[in-house]
Amino acid sequence: MTTPEAAAGAPPGPAVSKKPKKPKNRSSGPHGNRRSVTGTRRTVAALFLLPALVLLGALVVYPIGYSLVRSFYDASGDHAAGFDNYKAIFTDDSIRTALKNNIIWVVFAPTVSTALGLVFAVLTERVRWGTAFKLVVFMPMAISMLAAGIIFRLVYDQDPDKGVANAVWVGVHDTFAQSSAFPKAHPGRESPLVAQGGGFVTKDPVRAGTPVALPLLGVAPDRLPDDAGPAVAARPEPGRVTGTTWQDFTRGKGVGRLGAPDPSEVGYAGMRIEAVKDGRVVASTKAAADGTFSLPAAADGARLRLPAANFKEAYNGVDWLGPALVTPAIIGSYVWMWAGFAMVLIAAGLAGVPRELLEAARVDGASEWQVFRKVTVPLLAPVLAVVTVTLMINVLKVFDLVYIIAPGSSQDDANVLALELYRKGFAEGQPGVASAIAVFLLLLVIPVMLFNIRRLRREERR
């Protein structure tokens, strides 16, 4: 057969022998390289994750596993206790109180914090100083739980001179119901007064024109009325009953006269005096700054009475940290800290709400309340769910505030599970029960976390 080169007149060349092809190396092909690169990346990723995994195992997985195992042993750890430690959660009075308080915390603390955060976020949108207000409200988040607990321990102090809450409360109370200036006053030796119905009354009837001495003692100098002046002996007045009521006490042994005003003694300014005949008040008056008083002729032959209102104990405010109010008071401190956190997250969600929807609702005649309730809140529902769930998880672990704010006398009434875990494990020597409480807390947190994860996945699908 004639080749094309021979047909074209070209001289015939040597025969070219074809070399056999080498088999391809599968590992060097495109798929092989991809698998090699993928394996390298996984190795590098594993090396980077290794320190975190070690820490996670040492600080989270191991303690959880150990607590689970330890919860089935007795206090010594040598003998199995079965489910006795878990039974104690529902039978021990202190743990049951802690569980009840935890329910109160979970219901009210996240709800109030989220509601306040929502109100603050919506209201501060329309004011020029909204950013400054948000900064002030969020600022407590920068304070540790320890510092916040110390602050509110002072705020709730029973003494109005120390506790801000009681100082305000007492101030408001005294505006409408003035407290007595003589709560500790009482008759001294050889006094003409005797006790009666919480007050004091003269032993004998008084006569017009004869001054009456009504000495008392027992009032601290700094508690006397501000307008009180040096006591003076009353002068007789025809047809009137006059007298003096004062602090019959002079510092120093053997100094001063008993039953008569001395220059250093102070009158009971504002002391109320009543003239009583046959059980009926026929006249009354108040002592002047120097303690003197004067009653009309109707008081002649009556007995003088210093009514119990003069000696009423001063209002000392509310016992915020007492058994009845200690849990609400601590929840109030928690809300003070976390309302700012809720406000910031809700404000971020509010910034993404389409303004056209709000304006359309207003154009359709909706009031601001209707816009808020039927447009703003439904659109913010995902953000509100995130905030509420986050705070619920946080509240289940609350410990610091309760431990620091609640005094020893009412700590049992303010007890929560995290605090009871600490007390059982470190103060009462029951590590098995403490481990059972820890596992129980974990079981309480898991459903809330699963709810949050499912909600986030639904959001991603959208």
Side-chain angles (χ1 to χ4, degrees), residues 49-73:
L49 289 174
L50 184 60
L53 291 174
V54 171
L55 289 176
L56 186 66
L59 301 180
V60 177
V61 177
Y62 173 74
I64 291 175
Y66 181 81
S67 298
L68 180 61
V69 173
R70 188 67 180 81
S71 66
F72 291 100
Y73 283 84

Side-chain angles (χ1 to χ4, degrees), residues 197-219:
F200 305 99
V201 65
T202 56
K203 300 175 183 176
D204 304 312
V206 297
R207 295 297 174 185
T210 304
V212 182
L214 302 178
L216 295 167
L217 50 86
V219 180

Side-chain angles (χ1 to χ4, degrees), residues 305-375:
R305 180 173 68 188
L306 305 179
N310 289 317
F311 313 103
K312 183 175 63 175
E313 288 285 345
Y315 182 67
N316 204 34
V318 178
D319 188 8
W320 297 104
L321 299 181
L325 294 176
V326 62
T327 294
I330 300 174
I331 290 176
S333 65
Y334 179 89
V335 171
W336 175 77
M337 288 192 68
W338 288 88
F341 167 81
M343 178 196 65
V344 170
L345 290 187
I346 295 171
L350 193 60
V353 172
R355 301 303 170 192
E356 298 81 6
L357 297 177
L358 304 179
E359 294 302 327
R362 295 188 181 100
V363 170
D364 288 341
S367 64
E368 288 300 321
W369 170 246
Q370 289 173 325
V371 172
F372 172 76
R373 185 166 57 92
K374 296 188 176 182
V375 180

Side-chain angles (χ1 to χ4, degrees), residues 233-245:
R235 296 180 179 179
E237 297 181 20
R240 297 185 69 85
V241 175
T242 59
T244 305
T245 177

Side-chain angles (χ1 to χ4, degrees), residues 172-226:
V172 173
H173 174 273
D174 289 349
T175 301
F176 300 98
Q178 186 66 36
S179 298
S180 169
F182 318 105
K184 302 294 184 182
H186 60 275
R189 293 182 293 113
E190 302 177 14
S191 174
L193 295 168
V194 293
Q196 185 186 73
F200 305 99
V201 65
T202 56
K203 300 175 183 176
D204 304 312
V206 297
R207 295 297 174 185
T210 304
V212 182
L214 302 178
L216 295 167
L217 50 86
V219 180
D222 60 338
R223 295 293 183 180
L224 287 167
D226 295 335

Side-chain angles (χ1 to χ4, degrees), residues 106-177:
V106 169
V107 171
F108 289 101
T111 304
V112 176
S113 300
T114 305
L116 281 178
L118 176 61
V119 171
F120 290 157
V122 172
L123 293 182
T124 53
E125 265 207 329
R126 300 192 175 188
V127 293
R128 280 183 289 182
W129 42 269
T131 303
F133 180 83
K134 289 178 182 177
L135 179 63
V136 171
V137 175
F138 186 74
M139 198 174 295
M141 284 296 299
I143 302 175
S144 68
M145 286 281 195
L146 173 65
I150 295 173
I151 290 170
F152 275 88
R153 179 66 180 268
L154 296 175
V155 167
Y156 291 133
D157 196 285
Q158 181 69 33
D159 187 353
D161 294 333
K162 298 179 182 178
V164 175
N166 265 343
V168 174
W169 195 269
V170 170
V172 173
H173 174 273
D174 289 349
T175 301
F176 300 98

Side-chain angles (χ1 to χ4, degrees), residues 378-423:
L379 290 175
L380 288 175
V383 179
L384 296 177
V386 170
V387 174
T388 304
V389 170
T390 303
L391 293 180
M392 287 176 66
I393 296 174
N394 185 268
V395 156
L396 284 171
K397 303 179 294 181
V398 68
F399 165 80
D400 316 61
L401 289 178
V402 181
Y403 184 72
I404 296 167
I405 296 177
S409 58
S410 59
Q411 197 172 86
D412 289 340
D413 301 284
N415 201 8
V416 291
L417 288 174
L419 176 59
E420 186 61 20
L421 186 156
Y422 167 80
R423 293 169 66 176

